[in-house]
């Protein structure tokens, strides 16, 4: 029973990890931009959430809505003011630029908020639990998984059903040719970065509700995001979701077996998958199931 | 009525390579201008100048009498310049219908049901209706060329730029394409670059022959093909290649 509970908790955590990866993966999929500052933006979103949460009516978890809106606008500004200026065949300038943004952001947060560990207070919900098939599970982690699932599904539907969603898929295919549809790809890029940042911000706030964070947490968040994206298979939507699940489950199961170094096993699984299937779960799925 | 496209004294060079030198021409509504020239003559560069991919160093481009010389590619598209690529560039992950729908809803500025109607219309026009829901990346060459044309037509353009659209097709396929282009010709102005001169001659009202970005001859197809300078440069280049090969 304890194992069932551990795996269920791993799935809960994995949903959140998938969401952390989604922002990075979405930006990469559409623009081929690797935003190294994503981890620090996730932490910055957690700080915004920390200060806004007491003002949110009904339930503190709804703070994800204003934080997502703010992050969307910051994403558009980031793309328009900075990243759009260094676009080109060479990806090194983008990586250096976002790396610089990450350093500035991290140090600004240390200076502004101090280096103490913080957590967003969700009130009584943090301690609520429910019974399912004889195991005891937390309400908050379950709610977070549902939010992650809803966001994945909503993004998937939006990309396939809406006018702008189709345009974003077209841009991901060939951003030069998008100009022949009368659209500036730079504008599409700005919207895509806004969405990527909004998704990451939601993940950052939810993570700060489950656990704690400091201004230095960005590197850990970025590592998780990278692992989720690579395990999933670069740019593969649902691959990322299962990538997050795999990481979450591995981490919690390993922590039970080896409390001293459980976190390391997540990285080991990442490493093994990278060796066995360099294009991740999606690549393995294509090879084995679809036989392509 | 002003011609749809007016090009005035267009010049552009890259270092020593001249891709356009003092080029002037005009195309009216319902007219098709063919551009021929040996490889490296500057044909595709002229298209890139017209589409806004590269900027001229001198000269002006007027669309319906309006100066569009400094407009970016996407703005020109919004004003009705449709373009097809020599090598079709469909959005491979999208279906044929979605490809055309994106063009209709953005460049064509149509909303909702109207965009879908327009998309279905141009797919029918180009004979792609039955393949509408297939991913564009998997279509065979002729269909991808048709899709390229359909996507440009979905913009409801006033000027259509065709870049070697007949290249790489079989004789029968070229014939199908000619019929299609003749059908759409009355509704817009066409500039068509092509190596397959018999296809061009069947559709074009006039042909402009260029070499090193410079005009060699211009006139009705038969006259241009018979022109001594054209034969020397155009056919001469082909013969030289054959002699070397």
């Amino acid at each position: 029973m304890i194992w069932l509970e551990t795996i269920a908790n791993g799935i809960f955590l994995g949903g959140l990890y998938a969401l952390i990866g989604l922002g990075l993966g979405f930006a990469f999929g559409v623009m081929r931009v690797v935003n190294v500052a994503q981890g620090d933006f996730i932490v910055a979103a957690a700080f915004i959430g920390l200060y806004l949460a007491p003002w949110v009516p009904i339930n503190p978890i709804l703070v994800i809505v204003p934080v997502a809106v703010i992050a969307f606008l910051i994403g558009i500004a980031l793309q328009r003011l900075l990243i759009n200026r260094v676009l080109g065949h060479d990806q090194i300038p983008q990586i250096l630029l976002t790396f610089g943004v990450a350093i500035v952001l991290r140090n600004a947060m240390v200076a502004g908020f101090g280096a103490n560990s913080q957590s967003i207070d969700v009130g009584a919900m943090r301690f609520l639990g429910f019974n399912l098939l004889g195991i005891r599970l937390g309400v908050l982690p379950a709610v977070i998984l549902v939010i992650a699932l809803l966001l994945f599904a909503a993004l998937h539907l939006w990309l396939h059903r809406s006018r702008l969603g189709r345009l974003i898929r077209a841009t991901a295919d060939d951003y030069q040719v998008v100009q022949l549809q009368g659209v500036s790809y730079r504008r599409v890029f700005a919207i895509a970065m806004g969405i990527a940042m909004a998704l990451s911000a939601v993940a950052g706030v939810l993570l700060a509700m489950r656990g704690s964070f400091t201004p230095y947490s960005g590197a850990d968040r970025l590592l998780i995001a990278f692992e989720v994206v690579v395990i999933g298979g670069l740019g593969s939507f649902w691959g990322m979701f299962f990538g997050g699940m795999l990481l979450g489950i591995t981490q919690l199961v390993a922590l039970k077996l080896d409390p001293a170094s459980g976190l390391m096993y997540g990285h080991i699984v990442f490493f093994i998958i990278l060796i066995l299937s360099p294009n991740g779960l999606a690549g393995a799925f294509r090879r084995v199931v679809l036989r392509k | 009525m002003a011609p749809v496209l007016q090009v005035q004294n267009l010049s552009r060079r890259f270092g020593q390579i001249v891709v356009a030198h003092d080029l002037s021409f005009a195309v009216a509504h319902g007219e098709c201008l063919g551009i021929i020239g040996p490889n490296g003559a500057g044909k595709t560069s002229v298209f890139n100048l017209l589409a806004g991919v590269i900027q001229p160093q001198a000269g002006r481009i007027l669309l319906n009498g309006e100066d569009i010389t400094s407009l970016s590619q996407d703005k020109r598209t919004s004003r009705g310049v449709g373009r097809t690529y020599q090598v079709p560039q469909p959005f491979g992950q999208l279906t044929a219908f979605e490809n055309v729908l994106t063009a209709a809803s953005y460049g064509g500025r149509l909303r909702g049901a109207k965009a879908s109607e327009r998309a279905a219309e141009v797919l029918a026009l180009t004979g792609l209706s039955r393949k509408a829901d297939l991913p564009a990346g998997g279509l065979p060459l002729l269909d991808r060329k048709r899709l390229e044309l359909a996507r440009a037509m979905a913009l409801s353009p006033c000027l259509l730029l065709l870049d070697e659209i007949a290249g790489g097709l079989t004789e029968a396929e070229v014939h199908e394409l000619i019929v299609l282009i003749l059908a759409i010709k009355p509704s817009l102005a066409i500039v068509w670059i092509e190596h397959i001169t018999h296809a061009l001659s069947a559709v074009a009202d006039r042909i402009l022959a260029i070499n090193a970005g410079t005009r060699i001859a211009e006139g009705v197809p038969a006259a241009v093909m018979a022109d001594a300078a054209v034969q020397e440069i155009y056919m001469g280049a082909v013969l030289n290649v054959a002699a070397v090969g």
Side-chain angles (χ1 to χ4, degrees):
Chain A
M1 265 329 179
I2 187 78
W3 289 112
L4 219 55
E5 198 177 309
T6 304
I7 289 171
N9 280 320
I11 290 172
F12 289 162
L13 182 63
L16 186 52
Y17 281 0
L19 198 53
I20 290 176
L22 184 58
L24 190 80
F26 183 71
F28 181 79
V30 177
M31 303 177 271
R32 300 289 178 268
V33 166
V34 180
N35 183 6
V36 183
Q38 202 100 27
D40 293 282
F41 276 113
I42 285 175
V43 177
F47 273 113
I48 298 172
L50 182 69
Y51 285 95
L52 288 184
W55 305 93
V56 174
I58 307 169
N59 190 307
I61 207 160
L62 294 174
V63 76
I64 57 176
V65 176
V67 174
V69 172
I70 294 169
F72 178 74
L73 297 175
I74 291 174
I76 287 179
L78 174 76
Q79 188 70 31
R80 298 205 90 151
L81 299 177
L82 294 173
I83 302 177
N84 270 349
R85 292 168 188 247
V86 296
L87 291 177
H89 294 295
D90 190 1
Q91 287 182 336
I92 299 294
Q94 302 160 10
I95 292 174
L96 289 179
L97 173 78
T98 52
F99 188 62
V101 170
I103 293 171
V104 170
L105 194 59
R106 189 180 318 146
N107 287 293
M109 286 190 290
V110 174
F113 305 117
N116 290 337
S117 181
Q118 314 259 18
S119 183
I120 298 176
D121 185 11
V122 285
M125 195 157 82
R126 185 155 195 169
F127 309 106
L128 288 181
F130 64 99
N131 291 309
L132 183 76
L133 305 170
I135 52 176
R136 184 86 184 149
L137 300 167
V139 168
L140 180 65
V143 168
I144 289 174
L145 175 69
V146 170
I147 292 173
L149 258 175
L150 286 178
L151 284 175
F152 262 84
L155 186 63
H156 184 86
L157 280 178
W158 182 76
L159 283 173
H160 283 85
R161 299 286 166 81
S162 78
R163 185 169 173 263
L164 188 55
R166 266 193 307 274
L167 183 67
I168 285 185
R169 279 163 58 221
T171 308
D173 254 3
D174 193 331
Y175 68 90
Q176 292 288 354
V177 175
V178 157
Q179 298 177 104
L180 294 185
Q181 326 302 320
V183 180
S184 159
Y185 67 85
R186 288 167 182 273
R187 283 197 187 171
V188 184
F189 276 14
I191 294 169
M193 188 53 92
I195 293 168
M197 293 288 258
L199 292 167
S200 298
V202 171
V205 170
L206 295 177
L207 201 58
M209 287 173 173
R210 273 194 66 138
S212 61
F213 66 99
T214 76
Y216 297 106
S217 304
D220 296 337
R221 309 285 195 262
L222 185 66
L223 184 61
I224 293 169
F226 268 128
E227 290 186 349
V228 166
V229 172
V230 175
I231 291 178
L234 291 172
S236 163
F237 206 75
W238 292 102
M240 273 190 278
F241 194 79
F242 291 110
M245 293 287 161
L246 187 63
L247 263 190
I249 295 169
T250 308
Q251 211 173 72
L252 293 195
V253 169
L255 268 173
K256 269 275 185 294
L257 294 171
D258 182 1
S261 52
L263 292 178
M264 189 186 70
Y265 291 95
H267 303 318
I268 291 175
V269 163
F270 164 72
F271 189 64
I272 292 169
I273 287 183
L274 201 56
I275 290 172
L276 293 181
S277 175
N279 39 15
L281 293 179
F285 180 76
R286 274 196 298 274
R287 268 199 312 280
V288 177
V289 182
L290 304 177
R291 297 195 177 276
K292 277 190 183 170
Chain B
M1 205 174 90
V4 174
L5 174 71
Q6 254 180 301
V7 173
Q8 300 172 342
N9 311 101
L10 210 59
S11 293
R12 170 80 213 207
R13 55 162 65 223
F14 294 102
Q16 291 301 305
I17 300 165
V18 179
V19 295
H21 177 68
D22 205 22
L23 273 181
S24 297
F25 53 87
V27 192
H29 184 83
E31 195 187 22
C32 173
L33 174 75
I35 299 181
I36 61 168
N39 286 328
K43 300 186 299 294
T44 296
S45 296
V46 168
F47 258 33
N48 284 338
L49 285 165
L50 295 180
V53 181
I54 55 175
Q55 287 291 318
Q57 284 150 336
R60 295 203 304 163
I61 301 166
L62 306 181
L63 188 71
N64 296 314
E66 221 178 318
D67 193 335
I68 59 162
T69 318
S70 59
L71 291 186
S72 62
Q73 221 178 332
D74 54 287
K75 297 229 168 65
R76 290 187 200 196
T77 308
S78 308
R79 295 199 181 200
V81 180
R83 177 191 189 164
T84 71
Y85 278 104
Q86 188 176 344
V87 179
Q89 315 268 339
F91 301 120
Q93 308 288 320
L94 275 62
T95 64
F97 181 73
E98 285 178 319
N99 265 272
V100 180
L101 185 58
T102 304
S105 62
Y106 283 92
R109 295 188 175 164
L110 296 172
R111 288 273 172 176
K114 281 189 175 164
S116 306
E117 271 169 37
R118 179 69 187 155
E121 200 178 294
V122 291
L123 283 177
L125 178 75
T126 49
L128 284 173
S129 297
R130 281 187 302 122
K131 300 179 176 173
D133 294 326
L134 297 178
L139 295 175
L141 183 64
L142 177 64
D143 286 338
R144 272 184 287 146
K145 294 227 168 198
R146 283 172 166 161
L147 181 61
E148 196 78 3
L149 189 60
R151 208 166 50 172
M153 289 304 296
L155 306 168
S156 305
C158 59
L159 172 66
L160 184 61
L161 307 174
L162 302 176
D163 193 350
E164 296 195 23
I165 195 162
L169 297 182
T170 66
E171 207 43 48
E173 290 172 339
V174 169
H175 182 73
E176 273 184 59
L177 205 61
I178 291 173
V179 172
L180 177 56
I181 295 169
L182 281 172
I184 61 177
K185 195 179 126 184
S187 63
L188 38 63
I190 300 176
V191 181
W192 185 3
I193 291 178
E194 193 55 74
H195 272 306
I196 302 172
T197 44
H198 75 84
L200 199 55
S201 301
V203 178
D205 301 286
R206 282 179 299 127
I207 286 185
L208 170 69
I210 61 172
N211 190 25
T214 313
R215 173 212 301 259
I216 304 297
E218 188 181 345
V220 294
V224 172
M225 292 309 176
D227 188 278
V230 171
Q231 288 205 336
E232 186 185 329
I233 289 166
Y234 199 66
M235 304 308 182
V238 173
L239 286 179
N240 284 344
V241 170
V244 170

